[in-house]
Amino acid sequence: MNEPRMALVASPTDGAQEAAERLHGLYEWHPIERADLIVALGGDGFMLRTLHNMLDVHRVLPIFGMNLGTVGFLMNEWKPELLELRLLHAKAMTVLPLRMDAVTVSGERFSIPAINEVSLLRETRETAKLEVTVDGRVVLPELVCDGVLVATPAGSTAYNLSAQGPILPLDSSLLALTPISPFRPRRWRGAILPNKTRISFRVLDSAKRAVSAVADQREVRDIESVSISIDRTSPLTLLFDPEHALDDRITMEQFAT
């Protein structure tokens, strides 16, 4: 059996570039167009950008990240030695991205993937007013808030957790619908929904209460409506050392103090 052809990508930070130079001298590398998998050096933000780049060009490869950033939740430990052996024993995790379909007040349409979450955020000092629909049924005629987000299990420990949303096991087939500083309904704290659900938002009084939609790091401003669902046509594969598997890290976040 032939060894997989590896491509190397690195964050522009000094640490990641120095690590990439070291790896170039240790292993054989191939262009992404001819590779079987990608090794990514950087932090979680760089990992998300790499995943988005693959989705943009419709060439999705398994990716093994090594942390040269800050948190590195989606990354493995940086160790240049025995990389090929680590890849051989790596545990594969499948992540299904979201698809955000947004329409702006001016009628422009955008369709953007998101690995962690899609968030709607107020653009002005006025609170946002949103109508929330689940599978075609209006479940909240008016949500008054700073914003709201829909998170995948992979993203449930990111912005979603900071907004007091639930941590979702990676294999749970669930989505978190989490409000950001809700004012009305005052006691509503969000919902956990099957990942087959289609969640839609309509901005109420968009002329006065402008709202933006952000898919991971990509923002669309002055939206009129947004629809969010799982994109099952573009599954992503993350590779982890067995002792640093993403599903276990997500579980242990529930006991973090």
Side-chain angles (χ1 to χ4, degrees), residues 15-86:
Q17 289 297 311
E18 291 171 5
E21 185 175 348
R22 184 172 179 184
L23 288 181
H24 272 298
L26 295 175
Y27 305 99
E28 181 181 2
W29 301 99
H30 300 268
I32 290 178
E33 300 77 31
R34 297 201 298 271
D36 301 309
L37 60 85
I38 294 175
V39 174
L41 307 178
D44 288 336
F46 181 72
M47 172 64 86
L48 289 176
R49 288 193 294 274
T50 303
L51 292 168
H52 277 285
N53 288 341
M54 290 195 297
L55 291 172
D56 288 344
V57 300
H58 305 290
R59 178 168 170 74
V60 178
L61 300 175
I63 183 165
F64 183 88
M66 286 195 282
N67 188 30
L68 275 302
T70 306
V71 179
F73 195 81
L74 299 174
M75 315 299 279
N76 297 281
E77 183 182 355
W78 157 247
K79 291 187 293 187
E81 301 83 9
L82 302 176
L83 177 58
E84 293 167 332
L85 185 62
R86 291 173 73 187

Side-chain angles (χ1 to χ4, degrees), residues 117-170:
E117 77 278 318
V118 173
S119 54
L120 277 66
L121 304 167
R122 65 185 177 99
E123 294 180 14
T124 70
R125 288 176 289 182
E126 299 279 357
T127 56
K129 288 188 176 182
L130 305 170
E131 178 189 79
V132 183
T133 301
V134 173
D135 287 337
R137 177 184 179 184
V138 176
V139 292
L140 287 176
E142 185 180 81
L143 171 62
V144 183
C145 56
D146 280 353
V148 66
L149 62 85
V150 177
T152 65
S156 67
T157 56
Y159 192 7
N160 173 70
L161 182 58
S162 297
Q164 308 302 312
I167 294 175
L168 304 176
L170 192 63

Side-chain angles (χ1 to χ4, degrees), residues 45-255:
F46 181 72
M47 172 64 86
L48 289 176
R49 288 193 294 274
T50 303
L51 292 168
H52 277 285
N53 288 341
M54 290 195 297
L55 291 172
D56 288 344
V57 300
H58 305 290
R59 178 168 170 74
V60 178
L61 300 175
I63 183 165
F64 183 88
M66 286 195 282
N67 188 30
L68 275 302
T70 306
V71 179
F73 195 81
L74 299 174
M75 315 299 279
N76 297 281
E77 183 182 355
W78 157 247
K79 291 187 293 187
E81 301 83 9
L82 302 176
L83 177 58
E84 293 167 332
L85 185 62
R86 291 173 73 187
L87 291 172
L88 179 64
H89 294 287
K91 183 176 181 180
M93 289 287 153
T94 299
V95 175
L96 295 174
L98 297 168
R99 174 65 56 175
M100 176 186 83
D101 294 305
V103 181
T104 68
V105 173
S106 63
E108 290 185 276
R109 294 180 178 272
F110 297 86
S111 183
I112 305 173
I115 290 97
N116 273 358
E117 77 278 318
V118 173
S119 54
L120 277 66
L121 304 167
R122 65 185 177 99
E123 294 180 14
T124 70
R125 288 176 289 182
E126 299 279 357
T127 56
K129 288 188 176 182
L130 305 170
E131 178 189 79
V132 183
T133 301
V134 173
D135 287 337
R137 177 184 179 184
V138 176
V139 292
L140 287 176
E142 185 180 81
L143 171 62
V144 183
C145 56
D146 280 353
V148 66
L149 62 85
V150 177
T152 65
S156 67
T157 56
Y159 192 7
N160 173 70
L161 182 58
S162 297
Q164 308 302 312
I167 294 175
L168 304 176
L170 192 63
D171 60 355
S172 63
S173 299
L174 297 172
L175 298 174
L177 173 60
T178 302
I180 302 168
S181 300
F183 178 71
R184 193 169 58 240
R186 193 174 294 274
R187 295 186 180 182
W188 187 66
R189 291 295 178 263
I192 298 173
L193 300 169
N195 71 359
K196 64 182 180 181
T197 304
R198 189 171 190 86
I199 305 165
S200 302
F201 303 96
R202 185 168 66 91
V203 180
L204 307 176
D205 196 8
S206 56
K208 181 181 179 183
R209 302 170 184 270
V211 173
S212 66
V214 184
D216 288 341
Q217 300 144 335
R218 302 180 181 184
E219 181 182 31
V220 179
R221 295 182 69 82
D222 300 328
I223 62 165
E224 184 74 34
S225 63
V226 172
S227 186
I228 303 162
S229 59
I230 285 287
D231 183 359
R232 300 182 187 279
T233 66
S234 302
L236 300 166
T237 301
L238 304 182
L239 302 174
F240 292 94
D241 292 320
E243 67 272 21
H244 292 292
L246 182 58
D247 54 349
D248 183 61
R249 299 185 73 178
I250 288 175
T251 298
M252 294 311 296
E253 276 294 306
Q254 298 178 83
F255 303 97

